[in-house]
Amino acid sequence: MSEPFHQPVDAAVVPRFAGLSTFMRLPAVASAAGLDIALVGIPWDGGTTNRAGARHGPREMRNQSSLMRRVHHVSRVAPFSLANVADVGDVSVNPIDLLDGLARIEAGIAQIVEAGAIPLCAGGDHLTTLPVLRAVAKGRPVGLIHFDAHSDTNDAYFGGNRYTHGTPFRRAIEEGLLDPKRIVQIGIRGSIYDPDEHGWAREQGIRIVYMEEFVRRGPADVMAEAREIAGGQPTYVTFDIDCLDPSMAPGTGTPEIGGFTTREAQEMLRLLDGVDIVGADVVEVSPPFDLGGMTALAGATMMFEILCVMAGNLDRLREEAGGPA
Amino acid sequence: MSEPFHQPVDAAVVPRFAGLSTFMRLPAVASAAGLDIALVGIPWDGGTTNRAGARHGPREMRNQSSLMRRVHHVSRVAPFSLANVADVGDVSVNPIDLLDGLARIEAGIAQIVEAGAIPLCAGGDHLTTLPVLRAVAKGRPVGLIHFDAHSDTNDAYFGGNRYTHGTPFRRAIEEGLLDPKRIVQIGIRGSIYDPDEHGWAREQGIRIVYMEEFVRRGPADVMAEAREIAGGQPTYVTFDIDCLDPSMAPGTGTPEIGGFTTREAQEMLRLLDGVDIVGADVVEVSPPFDLGGMTALAGATMMFEILCVMAGNLDRLREEAGGPA
Amino acid sequence: MSEPFHQPVDAAVVPRFAGLSTFMRLPAVASAAGLDIALVGIPWDGGTTNRAGARHGPREMRNQSSLMRRVHHVSRVAPFSLANVADVGDVSVNPIDLLDGLARIEAGIAQIVEAGAIPLCAGGDHLTTLPVLRAVAKGRPVGLIHFDAHSDTNDAYFGGNRYTHGTPFRRAIEEGLLDPKRIVQIGIRGSIYDPDEHGWAREQGIRIVYMEEFVRRGPADVMAEAREIAGGQPTYVTFDIDCLDPSMAPGTGTPEIGGFTTREAQEMLRLLDGVDIVGADVVEVSPPFDLGGMTALAGATMMFEILCVMAGNLDRLREEAGGPA
Amino acid sequence: MSEPFHQPVDAAVVPRFAGLSTFMRLPAVASAAGLDIALVGIPWDGGTTNRAGARHGPREMRNQSSLMRRVHHVSRVAPFSLANVADVGDVSVNPIDLLDGLARIEAGIAQIVEAGAIPLCAGGDHLTTLPVLRAVAKGRPVGLIHFDAHSDTNDAYFGGNRYTHGTPFRRAIEEGLLDPKRIVQIGIRGSIYDPDEHGWAREQGIRIVYMEEFVRRGPADVMAEAREIAGGQPTYVTFDIDCLDPSMAPGTGTPEIGGFTTREAQEMLRLLDGVDIVGADVVEVSPPFDLGGMTALAGATMMFEILCVMAGNLDRLREEAGGPA
Amino acid sequence: MSEPFHQPVDAAVVPRFAGLSTFMRLPAVASAAGLDIALVGIPWDGGTTNRAGARHGPREMRNQSSLMRRVHHVSRVAPFSLANVADVGDVSVNPIDLLDGLARIEAGIAQIVEAGAIPLCAGGDHLTTLPVLRAVAKGRPVGLIHFDAHSDTNDAYFGGNRYTHGTPFRRAIEEGLLDPKRIVQIGIRGSIYDPDEHGWAREQGIRIVYMEEFVRRGPADVMAEAREIAGGQPTYVTFDIDCLDPSMAPGTGTPEIGGFTTREAQEMLRLLDGVDIVGADVVEVSPPFDLGGMTALAGATMMFEILCVMAGNLDRLREEAGGPA
Amino acid sequence: MSEPFHQPVDAAVVPRFAGLSTFMRLPAVASAAGLDIALVGIPWDGGTTNRAGARHGPREMRNQSSLMRRVHHVSRVAPFSLANVADVGDVSVNPIDLLDGLARIEAGIAQIVEAGAIPLCAGGDHLTTLPVLRAVAKGRPVGLIHFDAHSDTNDAYFGGNRYTHGTPFRRAIEEGLLDPKRIVQIGIRGSIYDPDEHGWAREQGIRIVYMEEFVRRGPADVMAEAREIAGGQPTYVTFDIDCLDPSMAPGTGTPEIGGFTTREAQEMLRLLDGVDIVGADVVEVSPPFDLGGMTALAGATMMFEILCVMAGNLDRLREEAGGPA
């Protein structure tokens, strides 16, 4: 059967441990031209205030993604048959100059967007989402569905530094990249700096679903609300791996006990079905702190979950537009 | 108090870290003669297509089983008082000749069966279940209660190779060892090769309970159906450790996030009570990928759970037959 | 804003990886004088019958507690604003003389109690709770809310040795330190030595909530009963880290699969609100068996949860008494 | 400056943790056409009789080779300026059929040889050297300079199996691929099966330099003899990572204490200068048993050492032939 | 070929990862009766003042000793053909009562000595050597060849405790078990408590060879002196694994950088040839601090080195006495 | 015996695992006033171009330094009796602003220098040495004895960034902090970017002793030359832990095989005796990449070696000046 799109290497022909390591064993391509969805690495953790290491995330998520197969067992979506997907490599970064790092990431993602592809990014720390949004939301603020233990809407650290992995969403709102009324943050938990730490976020209109509320309501109910907040408009999805419990994602810089199980997270991501996703990322996978690749495997699988939703949506749009690819 | 059967070494006399390492600190015996249940290792992973290592499983499950005590805290079953149980060592294997390996395993298990004991096996990869079934189900197909992330009913890999850890149950059905109408697979999940990957299995009559169905229904309901499928007839129980979540069983070759908790798995195994178990195994524990012995401890405890059910059943049969051991 | 009490180092000024390592980045003080709550380490595991290592627990819990912030995200309690809290260091111990070790620990905790502070202890194995109770419950038996996989009410090991980490609560009852009618043990599970192993405990009036009962009833219901058992009287809280599932707390000497999630444990600790806590501990964190500091992080966070409840209670008492803060 | 040949990615532009992982950050190419030296992975350990895992060796050696720079600091050889070198990926393998595996490896290497390139291979277990020799030494036996803890000239295992990682050089001599008079084995040590275990090897004329002789004589003297044995004729170089001390190469299947330091091994490889190397490999790097990538780093660096010698030799030949570079 | 003595399981028939784990894959026997040399475990670390864990040493040395083969590659000694050797299991211990622990160990070793066998012990911490000497040197002081980073001749710790792993040789001299004039300590290094810390030892006549002297003189010269000190009289050999460099033996309680290489240690042990060894041990292997089994492998190999010397000596005595066993 | 200076906690009273973790168990003091030598942490790795993590170095070197005792076993120097030494904590850093980070470190060290103490620093990456030199060498260039695998005299990375851990010594020379004629670099090795990579360094007059020259000449000869280069003038000593072999110091960002043994490094540091050391550091210990604390232990011991030389020198100066101690 000939497939119109890029296909992963067949694991019944080439074992999973063989061959160069790319996202989901897809071809590595030089540019996003012709792609519907571009898998891209952002190996940068310049915004990390405590335990660095997310710069190594893309390589290990590529390695662990070799365990992915072609079809989603619940939705039966076969993403590589519905959309043209490939690994476009890593964007250019700068590990020792924060502002230059941000500029390079923005430029790299902008190339993907300009080529007409949707970026599905493997971070990197959470500050990488800021330059991605600069590329993706240029000209019009987008919504945000945000899975995380932390709100990441702080203002400054260390004598006024405004760009850290604790501040990206405050900056993005200030820069007009996000519509705060269309932001939902799910899984927030852990001790905080100030009783009113999330006051600014709430004032902007951000909806914060603390872990305790999630436990009471369950994935389906919470995601129904999240889809409503996204409101059928262009939306970015960001998945900070520390939303998961540290037993399932130990390899991250700021672990908080009491997190999501992977089962809960997968159920929520599947319920993104129908959301108009203009870009997405999985961030804060930090291999130096990982145990046996467990966190990178979780991250790679979450990328696959998001990819299946994206590809299903694209396919539906194509059908509505009158026909297959 | 004198016990009629083999007893574990007393941990209030000999500490758990002392002495030779056997399953549950039982005596090592030369043959299964006189035993009701034989604990046996199958140190072989010749069917593994990706990450090998389950060959080291029996040794580490022995080591971790030193943490087991004598009595089940829920059922109050004291298996070593109800049945004669011992460690019969490992069957002979061949790490570099697949077909010879299968033959040796079958021969080793056949000796146990012929001695009148029920084998409770510590694998090894999942292909080891095939030769065990050849020994246990010789002459009459048995039922199967199968806990796993994967159906393991594929046909072939790598240019037509028919014996891998992804194919044992297709082979067993073809060989008349299993009655496909009496097979239930629980916990299946993870990306698949083909939208119809499980089509063959379903056509044979296998009942597949995906993880998502399990989450909706819960252990009690699912196991009620499983016992009904087993139908009071001779049944084999196979427990692939990758049915558990990788956070609880990282030491395995093909981890899939979103798995069972150990609590769920224990509840299901306890609900095997009353099933006519003619053999059982715990497979795919792979120490080179394990973290701190966590997977081997889970495997050893699952063996203890199955053992308690087996021993309880044997005791009931004895009582029905009119008398004590 | 000037704070009347000791405050943690500010992580927006001094990164979490910098500076000497104390509990929750609080000042290290020479004595408990002037404190409301004393965080204290008990680096001792002389009662451990299998895998030692809890002697290293306090150091690693200090290290991991650097991730704590100042305010509880659910109760909004800011413990360091409501109570004077500091790190008083470790009590004196003796790693090679069991009875002298017990005496030194008792003396160290007695100094804290005499200074008018409530001790919140980081063990150490569970035998350390015995000398702590000797200091805290001198003269009047207290109640006990006890989270654990094991009842720890055995009598003797190894030829009559009466002081091990499996016996502290039998000794404490015998010594009149605990009122057995006001003891509740939650999370008990795992294979046992004898069908009637918990018979002595039940005869004394101890209420044992096995894990299976907990799963059926849930945290809120169980803790309602626990608070009733405590009965508004002085109560000690002891949290053996092995009550958690080994996937979340692998670094402990006697792991038992099928344990609490951290989410469940946190919910229960928060429901201690209102209990008259005269002392508390988190024990059996064993760094040599830990994975990536995961267990020490769980232990440190549980200390923070208990601290917030303690501080909230103190504040309420002060308010009732008409006082400051 | 424009380079005529493939160049590694510049680490002052792209950090070492960024980009797809290839050998020494060279381009991945589809075939060996046009190359002087082909870096190739052989992800196969089908001949391993104890601890498997060398199948994962190529991926991790690629990862660790990202630490290599362009120029040898002693010889000042810049291999990528003297020879056209690239990463041709992995040969096809079969993890579950030994004989098919051998055939596929031979075919893969034959393509490289036929394209006119010299293969520099990353194993895989030591049995992979046999099919490589079948491709490289077709029609004329070659010499062998062999660094190893083990002679690997046994005859059979497990009931007559003749192809394991303990037998490749006996098979290669029997098949006429190696001239036993031109074989030298260096570093042999560790307990042996039989007092005359190396008798067959010595009868063939193989020169065995035990570790103890090496310690007495030193690298320079031993390598002078080795070069003499090679005799200016075509010679294969095989480097089993277990020749190194386990403290420097823990990630291997059959460690033997008392091995070479990396310093000694590097000195010996540099003294291969002038040897007519027709192929080479670094084998038995087993990532599941590695610690922090240490063994893969040693393996990758040894590949770089061999590469520099190969490239220097090619350059000399070209100069003698009057050509470019 | 029929062997008169116990033989290891053949690794060309049973793979090294298969079967119950005993020292060097020898039979496990119930008593030392009929043995020439008894391999025995002493799983006890009750004298450890800092990092415990050597209690787990025997189990892991058994596991790693599965890599041993039958014949020494340098001396060509085949110990299992020259002497009757077996694994007699572990002596009884008491992990929570120091003095009872010492008494049990002495009793266990005394049984071996009384059966006429020489004990070759796997510790355990270094205090275990004291009760072994009480059994072995009863009635006549013996000499001591002692490889270690520490002299272990301190007097007391923690308020006068006289039995720790830092005091065994002072106690043994005081008890008349060792002739201090026939003691040599080799490899001593690392910071010390007092400028005259070794003064007491020197006053007794102990010869201390610091690491720096060893580096200057080399193994052969130092061992010539050691053999002279032993003086052809009954001598005990004790090998504290921390004499090795921590890179080669990280799994120990008191590591000191700058230690022996395994190559140096092996050379020294081989030079024990001819010493009248009445008992020996390898101690302080601490698996919880080990990395990949490296330390246990070193320990097991050192046991094999000592065993080969012991067996060679026994054989020589037999020959002198006129014939084989 | 009363000591005039700060003393470490006595390990025969307080076990090594107990108490707050400071350098060598010395008191933590608020400032360097009154100290002769200040032990100070620099938790910063803002100049790291590949694998970050040295920011965590001070904490782990403090932890491992708990194994140090009071007296040097070769020189018999008792540093805490000869000089007033304490732990002054960590300097202020900024993990996300490189230039601010450099300024803070300089300010922190300047306080120590102005207080009249000599700083002995625990890094941190090698760029931290630049601001230390700015504080220590203000006004007069000093000499440098530099142990390292890398020359660290590169010019720029990533589009002209001039401050990375590959450039500190070029910057220091340009800033007039170092006299290039009095610089010796020992242990340089590993592949390089350019055949003339060290050309600039040599042109300035820096003496580079490659590892190969060191192996030929040995520690004594090389250090005789180094002392001559230092020339009795004020000299800074910098010890990059990656000068050690990765088997002995795996926890570092840029490992190079073929390094110093710890024995060689210790011998060299002892031969600093008599050098006028105005400051020193041990850098590039990176705990996230460490194995079992091995690298931090090596780093802490090297600090102790340097401290003993410093204290011996101070004592000699005092004696020459006719003063106390």
Side-chain angles (χ1 to χ4, degrees), chain F residues 89-297:
Chain F
D90 288 348
V91 298
S92 174
V93 296
N94 185 329
I96 51 172
D97 184 323
L98 198 150
L99 294 179
D100 185 49
L102 295 179
R104 289 180 187 221
I105 297 168
E106 180 183 349
I109 301 300
Q111 286 186 353
I112 293 169
V113 173
E114 285 156 18
I118 301 175
L120 174 47
C121 312
D125 71 25
H126 222 153
L127 183 52
T128 60
T129 304
L130 179 63
V132 173
L133 286 171
R134 286 174 180 167
V136 163
K138 192 183 284 181
R140 58 100 172 63
V142 300
L144 184 74
I145 300 182
H146 176 190
F147 303 93
D148 204 330
H150 313 96
S151 172
D152 292 352
T153 51
N154 288 340
D155 193 21
Y157 288 78
F158 304 109
N161 287 84
R162 303 178 70 241
Y163 297 103
T164 82
H165 67 159
T167 67
F169 301 111
R170 185 179 286 224
R171 290 297 94 77
I173 290 171
E174 292 169 351
E175 297 183 15
L177 304 170
L178 292 175
D179 174 355
K181 304 286 183 290
R182 293 209 295 117
I183 298 178
V184 57
Q185 301 186 318
I186 309 172
I188 309 303
R189 66 187 188 277
S191 54
I192 50 182
Y193 290 109
D194 192 272
D196 194 37
E197 175 164 334
H198 301 140
W200 183 89
R202 272 190 304 260
E203 283 166 23
Q204 312 307 306
I206 294 176
R207 169 72 169 103
I208 297 179
V209 180
Y210 288 102
M211 180 55 71
E212 288 72 21
E213 180 182 344
F214 169 83
V215 172
R216 277 196 310 275
R217 293 173 58 191
D221 195 27
V222 166
M223 286 308 292
E225 181 183 353
R227 282 198 308 269
E228 202 168 309
I229 290 169
Q233 300 294 106
T235 297
Y236 190 86
V237 175
T238 187
F239 190 93
D240 185 324
I241 204 80
D242 72 20
C243 74
L244 296 178
D245 193 79
S247 62
M248 292 172 164
T252 196
T254 318
E256 302 283 350
I257 64 170
F260 293 131
T261 63
T262 47
R263 241 154 65 176
E264 290 166 346
Q266 286 176 296
E267 185 174 347
M268 286 193 284
L269 292 178
R270 292 167 192 169
L271 291 168
L272 290 172
D273 188 39
V275 172
D276 178 9
I277 301 176
V278 294
D281 61 45
V282 174
V283 297
E284 297 286 355
V285 170
S286 181
F289 295 91
D290 203 3
L291 297 169
M294 190 191 293
T295 312
L297 175 62

Side-chain angles (χ1 to χ4, degrees), chain B residues 65-84:
Chain B
S65 74
S66 66
L67 285 164
M68 298 297 104
R69 300 179 204 85
R70 300 179 195 212
V71 179
H72 196 281
H73 79 288
V74 175
S75 66
R76 302 285 149 160
V77 162
F80 314 113
S81 300
L82 302 182
N84 205 9

Side-chain angles (χ1 to χ4, degrees), chain A residues 100-157:
Chain A
D100 185 49
L102 295 179
R104 289 181 188 219
I105 296 167
E106 180 183 349
I109 301 300
Q111 285 186 353
I112 292 169
V113 174
E114 285 156 17
I118 301 175
L120 175 47
C121 312
D125 70 27
H126 222 155
L127 184 52
T128 61
T129 303
L130 179 63
V132 173
L133 286 171
R134 286 173 179 168
V136 163
K138 194 183 281 181
R140 56 102 174 60
V142 300
L144 184 74
I145 300 181
H146 177 189
F147 303 93
D148 204 331
H150 313 96
S151 172
D152 292 352
T153 51
N154 289 339
D155 193 21
Y157 289 79

Side-chain angles (χ1 to χ4, degrees), chain C residues 214-236:
Chain C
F214 168 83
V215 172
R216 277 195 310 275
R217 294 173 57 191
D221 195 28
V222 166
M223 287 307 294
E225 182 184 354
R227 282 197 308 269
E228 204 168 308
I229 291 169
Q233 297 296 105
T235 299
Y236 191 85

